[in-house]
Amino acid sequence: MKAPLSWIREYVEVPAEVTTDELTRRLTLTGLKLEAIERPGDQITGPLVVGRVLTQEPEPQKNGKTINWCTVDVGDANGTGEPQGIVCGAHNFGPGDLVVVVLPGGVLPGGFAISERKTYGHLSAGMICSAAELGLSGDHDGIIVLAPGAAAPGADARPLLGLDEEIIEFEVNPDRAYALSLRGIAREVLVSVDGATSFRDPAVREVPQANAEGHPVRVEDATGCPVFVARTVRGFDATAASPAFMVRRLTAAGMRSISLAVDVTNYVMLETGRPIHAYDGDRLAGPLVVRRARTGERLTTLDDVDRELDAGDLVVTDGSGVIGLGGVMGGASTEISETTTNVVVEAAHWDPVSMFRTGRRHRLTSEAGKRNERGVDPTICEAAADRVVELLIEHGGGVADPGVTVVGTPPPMPTIRLATDLAARVAGLPIDAASVVETLRAVGCEVTEVPDGDAAGLDVVPPPWRADITDPQDLTEEVVRLVGYDRVPSVLPTPPSGRGLTRAQRLRRRIGRTMAGAGYVEVVTFPFVGVDSLDALGIPADDPRRDVLVLSNPLSAEAPAMTTTLLPALLRTASRNVGHGQASCAIFEAATVTLPRGGDGAPILPVDRRPTDAELDSLMKALPAQPLHLGIVAVGEAEHSGWWGQGRAVDWTDAVAAVDGVAEALGLRLDRRAVTRAPWHPGRCAELVLGDVVVGHAGELHPKVCAELGLPSRAVAAEVDLDVLIDHAVDLRVAPSFSTQPVAKEDVALVVAASVPASDVEHALREGAGDLLESIRLFDVYTGEQVGDGRVSLAFALRFRAPDRTLTEDEIAAARDAAVAAAGERTGAVRRS
Amino acid sequence: MSGPNTDYDPVEVTPLKAEEVEAARDAAIGAISAAADLEQLKQVRIEHAGDRSPLALANREIGALPPQARKEAGQRIGQARGAVNQALAARLAVLEVEHEDRMLVEETVDVTRPVDRTPRGSRHPLTLQSELIADLFVAMGWEIAEGPVVEAEWLNFDALNLGPDHPARTMQDTFWVEPAEHHVVLRTQTSPVQARTMLTRTPPIYVVCPGRVFRTDEYDATHSPMFHQVEGLVVDRGISMAHLKGTLDHFAGQLFGEGIDTRFRPSYFPFTEPSAEVDVRCFVCRGVDADQCRTCRGEGWIEWGGCGVVNPRVLVACGVDPEEFSGFAFGMGIDRSFMFRHQLGDLRPLFEGDVRFSAAFGTEI
Ligand SMILES: [Zn+2]
């Protein structure tokens, strides 16, 4: 909401010593936040004066243009009192007109300095100004011609143009709809600014009695439209110009001047907060009827959009059908035009909920709708309509029709019982009863003290412009904000002893630190995904990762759903890093993914009580599963090249090792199985298994995926479900005990079919070796002629140790042979000699 | 030790003469002192103190002498060999020290060469900021509450006194899950965690909830469809706005520096009443000569978040008796806090994933 300060001051007196900065600071502290102060004249310096055109001689030029050589009386403003000679290219003025002149030494917006200069054979000393040249918005770009007698030549032109004006822009919270008017702002000034007095309410005026002679109106839905006032002006000149002050103020408030009739309704809306609609009376067919729309009805609104109406929409109709969306926007068929002579003025109160729904349904935002959906004072319809009639006649002529239609009565305001000490308790600040009463009365409440008994306190009726006040807590806010939030003391509460972070919270931190320690950089990506991204990863059509939760209103049609995997975004991020010159990069993200569960959706539960556990359960079950995943991507070198020699390129083992590192940090060990799964290389993807649960996958990416995403070849990735890992994390680790007996080391090389997983051989060895085996490690792999086609030699280092004695040669040999025998039995392994 | 002397050769008995023993001794000592390094000394030892050295050979001859001559010859040769061994040990010690010194010089490296063989990891600054905030509150005895980002409409709105026809619930702000009749949204705030907490715990409640939230804002320097908030909620007996102010002053001081406090301005949130916008004192200029300050743009204060006293309607919907308990809640942008704490003018680097950005913050902020 923007309002010129001079307009505010029309309704409330502020002491001269209160500067604009102080005024806006006070308003900010009581809830009307200053957004900006505009000073349109700030960009103009030097003499800007009123001039009277004395002579005007047209001089045609060779280029086909005609310029005017003028002499202008600028009084004493030029220091000599002599007429000023000025060349002017515009023609919309003549001798005798009052114009605005900037004299040499003046500077116009954009740093445009004015000086005497030779042009078209004359010495031109100054410039006759247009609105555009002064930085004022105006519909035409001719010279500004002031009203006759506006001021004497030589007078400062700034006040006449509003250039000395300060325009204050406020941020208005949804609960303060009354501040969307000068009436409301002035009232806020009155209650907020020390020394402000003499509030004059623009909505309080003598209005003519209602009678049966006005334009007929029938309201069929009194809930939707409790009050409807209609007035008529006859013999109005729709082509009359809007007065300058009105145009200036509308412009300052951010509205465009359209025509006198429209400008007047907007002006009164700004003044009182009450949206008004004006019809061309001659285009109305019979009585106005307010009702809900019927299915199939349509309306072309003033913005030239043809709309299909909803049964919930409140409409105004006449004999021709629907002519307006009540309270939101009028229809084109009864719009005021240049030929209009009879104007029917409508000032009606509309149900805010219905306004909100209609606005949302039709995606219609209007100044009227904005106010009507937040709540307008229902008691000022007659006053506002009367003010419109007054201004129409004053500036457009005609007479007020004696008929005054008033249908309905304003809904009553609630009476709220307020405990006198509630404000003090809520604020944590002593506020005595007298201050509470005084403050509430200042904001317009009727306050009655309820003396004794259990319910002692105050009976408070909020003022009609405060539809937002419904609860004792709302009254409390009024009291505390005006007493001053700055007076609320600062006191630390004392909570009971806390339990610290939960185990899952601590483990999540541990996982992040583990990844960073392993050389990975954490990133944060958006969780939106689209078909293209899943296609790029080669994810098959029947893959469960294609079952995404779709958004109704995504920002981008390419990514309209919540992702089921972190990899698309991470791979894109890696690719972008490569594009930025990071040839090697290793990144990770820990974030939730969304796995839909189907079902009929979540219920809307009651709010006047706690939902039952069953109700809550049905709500929780309706939400998708959102497990926490860890995604990992690495490209380039795992160890850098340098003066020490060649580095090491990342390979599938890095992806697996990163996940193993996380598992180890949680006290877990993952098993691996070879699988084929997008987006990984079909021969280089490990399924990671905890017990019998698949927790994720790791390996080298499919070459096609790397090519598709612009990643260097051999990039690697992993994705695991952290929730499962955290759930199974070892809770309390038992202290180990070590044997200090000597260790016996035995190496065995076993030849098996190449298709046998090394982990199977290792398992068999481990089990065959028995309790004396301390550790086993695959230390060499050999393929080639010596072992034969399709076979591989796996060399394992076995370490044996007993807790209590030195092992004998025989014991060691027996354990080793048992291990080899078990491997032979289970995997066909043959010891290589 | 003595074994059979198979090499016995009576022709070589002559060295037993005194002058020859002395000559052999002197030759040995001369060679020892002339040995320039450990390798030469080893050769010298073989030649002059080894099994076939003159003194060793002479020693063998002692047994062949007449008994009366044995003692004298034994003494003479023993002394000579002792002197040689002593000289050897002394020279060895000197040469070993010399050798070690030379080795250490030869092994000198250029310690100024780069050593960045392995890439360094780091955590995301928003994660670190969230953890820092969590730690500040945990230190006061609060706990960290959590909730999902895909949330029930009822928890995101209705339970928080944002009824279906509330102007704050327009399509422009909220991501809705299809179909809308399923009443599921991407949470627009961390406030549904308030409701979840009250529904699952009994007061006293002291929790903060850091997390991701979503709004349908186009992505630019100051807006993002996803950002991070931290929500705070206290429900206890006798809680007032003063406790809210105290908590936020403490929070601001911990996050932005000693002495940084807050200012409340009346505002509107459906779930709190009274409600306030919280400004934090500009920690760059501290309000002194704010006109020159780029951080607060001359205000002396920076908009930080929203807060208020929990609306009793919210307490009722979440099963808390408003007659017995009252509470306060606040919500701050983590990204926003990070941006002015670390002088970041454009929020996009937080979500672009450029590794250079996260790397600049390491693993703790
Ligand atoms: Zn500052």
Side-chain angles (χ1 to χ4, degrees), chain A residues 299-307:
Chain A
L299 171 70
T300 302
T301 39
L302 282 175
D303 53 0
D304 279 329
V305 178
D306 176 49
R307 300 174 187 276

Side-chain angles (χ1 to χ4, degrees), chain A residues 143-283:
Chain A
I143 293 305
I144 298 171
V145 178
L146 300 168
D156 188 359
R158 288 177 176 80
L160 302 170
L161 301 170
L163 287 172
D164 59 342
E165 189 63 275
E166 288 176 307
I167 300 163
I168 307 174
E169 184 176 1
F170 298 104
E171 187 185 304
V172 177
N173 288 321
D175 62 334
R176 300 201 185 289
Y178 66 97
L180 295 171
S181 69
L182 270 297
R183 178 193 192 214
I185 292 170
R187 187 182 293 279
E188 275 302 293
V189 171
L190 178 74
V191 297
S192 304
V193 178
D194 289 339
T197 57
S198 311
F199 173 69
R200 182 179 75 76
D201 188 340
V204 172
R205 56 190 287 125
E206 283 294 318
V207 293
Q209 274 288 293
N211 55 48
E213 316 306 318
H215 192 94
V217 172
R218 193 168 77 244
V219 175
E220 292 182 354
D221 189 327
T223 316
C225 179
V227 185
F228 195 111
V229 172
R231 296 283 303 274
T232 305
V233 173
R234 300 199 186 280
F236 172 75
D237 175 8
T239 62
S242 299
F245 80 91
M246 192 177 284
V247 174
R248 221 161 48 227
R249 285 178 168 179
L250 288 174
T251 308
M255 302 185 81
R256 241 157 34 88
S257 169
I258 292 165
S259 67
L260 176 59
V262 174
D263 289 356
V264 165
T265 56
N266 283 335
Y267 187 81
V268 174
M269 177 178 71
L270 289 173
E271 199 174 55
T272 63
R274 162 57 64 201
I276 316 258
H277 187 65
Y279 302 92
D280 182 334
D282 294 325
R283 295 166 83 177

Side-chain angles (χ1 to χ4, degrees), chain B residues 109-128:
Chain B
V109 296
D110 176 359
V111 297
T112 68
R113 290 183 195 173
V115 298
D116 54 338
R117 282 180 203 232
T118 51
R120 190 103 59 218
S122 60
R123 301 187 66 207
H124 196 276
L126 290 178
T127 311
L128 299 174

Side-chain angles (χ1 to χ4, degrees), chain A residues 357 471 490 552 576 605 643, chain B residues 114 154 165 176 249 313 352:
Chain A
R357 288 183 184 166
D471 294 8
S490 187
S552 306
R576 197 160 47 228
L605 301 177
W643 58 266
Chain B
W154 186 82
D165 295 308
W176 290 85
D249 281 343
R313 288 173 186 245
E352 305 276 281

